[in-house]
Amino acid sequence: MRFTEQMAGWYTPSCPAYDAGFHTGRRDGRGLRFHLTIDTPDVRRLVADPQHRMSAHGWVEAKELGPVRMPVHDATFDVFAPGSGPGRLLMRYELPFESARGPMTLCGVKQVADNAGLDLWRDTTTLFTRVLDAERAEHGRGLLRLDLRMFSRQLTTFRGRPGELVRFGSFFARALARTYAHPL
């Protein structure tokens, strides 16, 4: 089973906060985006794995880090891994790539939790992003987002055997329901 995801946003080198990295990066034109195909050979194994880890391949693009799209290698995506407490889940991305400045890794997390207000969309479409160098020292921070157009396109990219697609969809829906509709 596989699908394609794109996210785009802004980041700022040496920025201590995600929001500030996003706003300063937008002001300064420091765009950051990725395009990934995320897959698993076995949805049953994915659901049984506590981290719910999938493979990812594609590219990262950031003009400051290289003039062309930089392929990711050995990348992973954890869908609804356990978070910091009950009712808190994480969607984690670890995307190693070779930049013009040497090896880098885009690390991102979506924090999925039922906080005050209607936050399901924001939680599942906002990626708190760090760019790390080869020694895992932080190069920059920012936010990437999945907008409605990107999400609509993503829904058309799911491929796999029908049973696997249903199993993944059910796993995904149950995780969201446990997180956001638990009082119901």
Side-chain angles (χ1 to χ4, degrees):
M1 197 236 29
R2 71 180 186 278
F3 64 93
T4 300
E5 181 175 40
Q6 295 182 42
M7 295 189 80
W10 309 95
Y11 88 109
T12 301
S14 304
C15 192
Y18 297 105
D19 286 343
F22 175 84
H23 293 296
T24 304
R26 183 170 53 190
R27 181 196 70 203
D28 297 344
R30 289 192 174 100
L32 177 64
R33 66 185 186 131
F34 66 68
H35 177 101
L36 300 173
T37 298
I38 298 171
D39 62 44
T40 181
D42 185 341
V43 174
R44 285 181 201 267
R45 192 174 338 149
L46 169 75
V47 172
D49 173 11
Q51 299 304 311
H52 310 297
R53 180 155 293 165
M54 301 176 80
S55 299
H57 41 278
W59 48 262
V60 169
E61 185 175 65
K63 298 293 184 213
E64 181 158 308
L65 300 177
V68 297
R69 293 174 175 166
M70 298 160 283
V72 300
H73 56 85
D74 302 317
T76 59
F77 168 63
D78 298 340
V79 57
F80 298 135
S84 60
R88 303 185 77 74
L89 300 172
L90 301 175
M91 298 171 88
R92 288 189 297 243
Y93 298 71
E94 182 138 340
L95 311 176
F97 63 95
E98 283 296 323
S99 78
R101 298 176 178 208
M104 298 269 190
T105 302
L106 186 154
C107 294
V109 66
K110 295 177 185 174
Q111 299 177 22
V112 180
D114 189 17
N115 300 314
L118 298 173
D119 61 343
L120 183 145
W121 177 259
R122 184 180 64 241
D123 289 354
T124 58
T125 62
T126 302
L127 187 68
F128 294 85
T129 305
R130 296 180 306 143
V131 177
L132 308 176
D133 67 18
E135 284 79 41
R136 304 289 288 181
E138 198 165 293
H139 171 74
R141 286 188 186 210
L143 298 172
L144 301 184
R145 296 219 164 91
L146 176 74
D147 64 25
L148 190 54
R149 181 182 50 83
M150 292 170 175
F151 178 68
S152 298
R153 189 176 314 133
Q154 179 178 332
L155 290 176
T156 69
T157 67
F158 280 82
R159 301 289 183 269
R161 293 187 309 275
E164 297 282 287
L165 294 171
V166 168
R167 191 170 287 113
F168 182 79
S170 177
F171 160 73
F172 200 92
R174 281 192 321 270
L176 290 178
R178 280 192 307 270
T179 302
Y180 294 98
H182 55 83
L184 302 175

